[in-house]
Every structure is written in structure tokens, then in C-alpha cells.
Amino acid sequence: MNLSVPDCVLSIKPYVPGKPLEELEREYGIKDSVKLASNENPLGSSPMALKAIQDEMENLHRYPDGSAYSLIKKLSEKLGVSPGNIVLGNGSDEVIGMLAWTLLRQGDEAILPQPSFLMYDIVVRCVGATPVYVPLKSLSIDLDGMKERITPKTRMIFVNNPNNPTGTIVTKKEFDTFLETVPPEIIIVVDEAYIEFARDQECLNGTDYLDSGRAVVTLRTFSKIYGLAGLRIGYGVMPEQVAEVLNRIRMPFNANSLAQVGAAAALDDDDFIKKTRSTIYEGLDFLCDALDRLGIRYFPTQANFFLIDVKKNANEVFEDMLRQGVIVRSMISYGFPEYIRVNVGLHEENVRLIRALETVLF
Ligand SMILES: *Cc1c(COP(=O)(O)O)cnc(C)c1O
């Protein structure tokens, strides 16, 4: 076949997701394995979401509401924004894609923190735009460094708050100072997939900037704290002008009907959110204590995951951990050759993680 593929697409390194549990169990013949590699909710899904999804099953022969009226109304009330400010996606990944597909072209530059979420790089390259990487500074997004890389070609800047994979935040104050120096035509994408876990009072909240007259787009998801990663639903909060552009290319039924009702119900599930937060915070305390006791270095986090310095090849540690039935994420491809990323699990899972680390590292 003489397939002609644009160079920009050939330049993309395919996204490698966390290893699924079933794959580990199939390949290694291990039972009762533990996955702490994709920052998922260890408690499962919001029970209220599951109930709503079950009830919606009888309507699966119908197309979804293409305007997602109920979910968008509920979100807009909860966030104090108007429905026209919200664009749903098949996961917030899709909103990241829609931003690049509509607003970036060849010759444009997009500034990305590095390392950060790998999807930014993929969508920027996909449209032939140029990614401009700004290394993290002490594991945090370096807004000053980003400012310095702005050129007349800069069209978009990605900020991940808290940042995946480091768990660091951007403060309101840092963002305000940054915003003053960024030309107003540049779109600033603030990806807040983990914002619900952040406890630092200084933490930036991108939706506060909706009426600032600036092109700030805030991304949120139901995949993490609501425990609905498999349902694929996320959204962006943005000025109506930007939303109108995204809606031109949005597939009419990109948010499926189960996702719409599940997400709407999850928004009311305060008990589940509370329980998730306490599970994560208690788990973090437990893990940090245990790592301290073992003398293993790790980094503070504002998310449900964090980095551990294993002081040896992270891919080898990943493999050795697999043999112990624990899936973690090697950070080699993120530029941290000796770090792994783990998310907080249930107590039994956290205990397994510590035991496996002890076996593998000592
Ligand atoms: C998990 C994650 C998302 C959410 O992706 P979905 O497509 O909504 O599942 C977005 N950004 C970051 C940084 C993430 O880690």
C-alpha cells in the first residue's frame, strides 16, 4: 500500500495507556493484581451515577439528546456559568482535541509544559502546529519560562493544574501575574482533571476567569473523582465565542446517553465525593509514612497520585512490580528515568504497593 501520511502525524508517538489489569493477569498468570497506574478512583464509580445509568438502559435504542440539555443545565448551575459556556466531550481528551482541531494550524505554536499530559502534544502535532516545550521547574509548571517562549506565532498555552504526572499546582497569584503578560488573543487551556483533590487554598481555579475577557478554557472530567473513566465524559468551560467554534465540529452525539445521565447524577453524589476524598487523603498519609520509614524518596502532591524516586531504571522497576502483581507507571517516557508514578488506592492496595516496593527495591 502506498499510504500517504502527513509528516506531522508520523511525528506523533502513540499514547501508551496504563497497563490494564486483565492484560497483566493474562500475561503473567497473576491473580488479585492491583492497578495504581491510571489515577482511577479506587472506590469504583459514584453509586448514584450507576443507578441513573441502569435506569437509562431502556432508552438505548434512541439517539442521545445532542444538546445534552439536562447535564449542561446542571453543570452550569453548579459552576455558576451559563450553558453556552460549556462544551461536553467524550472525555475531556476530546475537548483537548477539539481545541486543537479548530484553533490551531500549521505554522502556529502551542506552548506545553514538559513533562505533562501527553495528549497535548498529540493533538498539537496532529494539526501540523508546533509544540514548544517548557521544562518544569522543581516539578512545577514554569509560567515565567512559558512567558519567555511566547512569539507572534503562539496561539495556545496548556497549563495542567494539578499537573500530571507531578501533582503540583499553579497558584491564583502566579496565574494572575502570568495572564498580565500574555497577549489576549492567545488561548490558555487550564486542564483541571484533578482539581477536586487539591487542598492548597492558593490553588488556581480556571473557571474564575470566565468573565475576565480572556480566552481561558478550563477542562474538567468525570473520569477521576467521580469514578467514571470508562464512561468517557468530560467538559470544557469557556467563553461563548470559543464554545461556538468548538460546537461547529463537535460530533452531534459525542456525549452518549448513559454518560449524560451518569454524569448528571454523579454531580449530586456528595457522599461519594466526600468518601473518595477521605480515602485519598488517608491513603496518602499512610503511603507517605510507609515510604518515610523505608527511606524512599517521594514528592508532595495536590492530586490522587504522586511520584516516587526509585533510584534505578523505572522500566525495570515497573516490570519487577508487575511480577509482584502491582501495576505502576514508569516515568521514563516522561523524562524521569528513575521515577515511577502511582495513584492512591484502597488501604489493601496501598499495603500491596508498599510490600512490592520493599521486595523490588531492597
Ligand atoms: C485523566 C486526565 C484527563 C481526563 O481525561 P478524560 O478524557 O476525561 O478521561 C485529562 N487531563 C489529564 C491531565 C488527565 O490526567
Side-chain angles (χ1 to χ4, degrees):
M1 208 187 322
N2 208 343
L3 194 62
S4 158
V5 181
D7 287 341
C8 60
V9 174
L10 291 175
S11 80
I12 295 171
K13 276 195 237 121
Y15 183 79
V16 182
K19 196 176 187 69
L21 279 173
E22 298 72 24
E23 194 175 298
L24 170 66
E25 301 194 345
R26 208 165 51 233
E27 288 175 3
Y28 288 72
I30 296 174
K31 289 257 163 13
D32 304 321
S33 52
V34 169
K35 183 184 177 195
L36 300 172
S38 297
N39 307 338
E40 295 151 340
N41 191 323
L43 294 174
S45 303
S46 147
M48 285 171 67
L50 294 182
K51 169 78 173 61
I53 289 167
Q54 211 114 50
D55 294 346
E56 181 61 23
M57 299 265 230
E58 62 189 66
N59 297 319
L60 276 183
H61 59 298
R62 304 273 181 214
Y63 275 101
D65 172 4
S67 67
Y69 176 83
S70 301
L71 174 56
I72 288 192
K73 182 162 178 286
K74 197 152 198 177
L75 273 172
S76 71
E77 285 162 4
K78 188 152 180 131
L79 297 164
V81 305
S82 79
N85 294 126
I86 299 172
V87 176
L88 297 178
N90 188 263
S92 52
D93 282 354
E94 194 193 18
V95 186
I96 299 172
M98 288 193 272
L99 286 161
W101 300 327
T102 50
L103 295 164
L104 295 177
R105 282 297 169 266
Q106 187 162 19
D108 294 340
E109 292 175 356
I111 300 180
L112 323 180
Q114 196 183 37
S116 188
F117 193 42
L118 299 171
M119 283 308 300
Y120 312 145
D121 183 70
I122 292 175
V123 300
V124 167
R125 285 174 183 270
C126 172
V127 296
T130 306
V132 175
Y133 306 109
V134 176
L136 301 183
K137 205 167 157 183
S138 314
L139 297 186
S140 296
I141 291 183
D142 178 13
L143 293 179
D144 288 333
M146 288 183 141
K147 179 181 77 190
E148 280 162 24
R149 301 300 302 274
I150 293 173
T151 73
K153 291 179 177 172
T154 307
R155 294 284 301 129
M156 203 174 276
I157 300 177
F158 287 88
V159 175
N160 190 194
N161 178 54
N163 187 50
N164 179 3
T166 53
T168 52
I169 55 154
V170 168
T171 66
K172 288 187 215 313
K173 210 167 140 219
E174 288 167 335
F175 190 74
D176 285 337
T177 311
F178 175 64
L179 207 52
E180 277 169 28
T181 67
V182 176
E185 64 276 12
I186 294 178
I187 296 140
I188 304 178
V189 181
V190 184
D191 180 353
E192 296 188 337
Y194 303 96
I195 192 80
E196 296 90 349
F197 295 108
R199 285 183 281 184
D200 187 332
Q201 296 298 315
E202 306 295 311
C203 185
L204 162 70
N205 173 345
T207 64
D208 289 345
Y209 295 81
L210 196 57
D211 296 322
S212 66
R214 301 297 304 267
V216 175
V217 175
T218 304
L219 303 177
R220 300 274 175 90
T221 181
F222 288 92
S223 296
K224 307 289 159 51
I225 202 160
Y226 294 101
L228 297 171
L231 197 58
R232 310 306 304 132
I233 181 91
Y235 59 96
V237 183
M238 61 200 83
E240 282 193 30
Q241 223 185 324
V242 182
E244 278 163 15
V245 173
L246 264 54
N247 277 321
R248 283 169 194 257
I249 64 144
R250 188 177 60 79
M251 300 290 158
F253 308 110
N254 66 325
N256 71 71
S257 41
L258 301 183
Q260 288 185 31
V261 298
L267 286 174
D268 287 332
D269 204 339
D270 297 334
D271 284 349
F272 183 72
I273 298 305
K274 220 168 122 191
K275 202 165 151 209
T276 299
R277 281 207 185 96
S278 59
T279 303
I280 298 303
Y281 300 154
E282 283 161 24
L284 264 176
D285 286 347
F286 168 81
L287 287 170
C288 293
D289 279 353
L291 292 169
D292 283 338
R293 247 181 294 117
L294 292 170
I296 298 172
R297 182 171 174 241
Y298 58 89
F299 297 93
T301 185
Q302 291 290 320
N304 63 337
F305 58 84
F306 62 101
L307 294 178
I308 299 175
D309 180 359
V310 290
K311 303 214 185 297
K312 48 175 151 172
N313 183 294
N315 282 356
E316 284 169 24
V317 171
F318 164 76
E319 290 288 339
D320 291 345
M321 293 291 283
L322 284 185
R323 269 176 232 114
Q324 304 295 318
V326 179
I327 311 177
V328 301
R329 199 72 158 252
S330 162
M331 289 289 109
I332 284 196
S333 60
Y334 288 73
F336 295 130
E338 298 193 338
Y339 294 177
I340 58 168
R341 190 194 68 196
V342 299
N343 66 265
V344 182
L346 298 175
H347 183 67
E348 312 84 82
E349 296 173 322
N350 299 335
V351 170
R352 285 280 301 276
L353 170 68
I354 295 296
R355 268 202 219 121
L357 273 174
E358 244 181 314
T359 310
V360 166
L361 297 184
F362 300 112

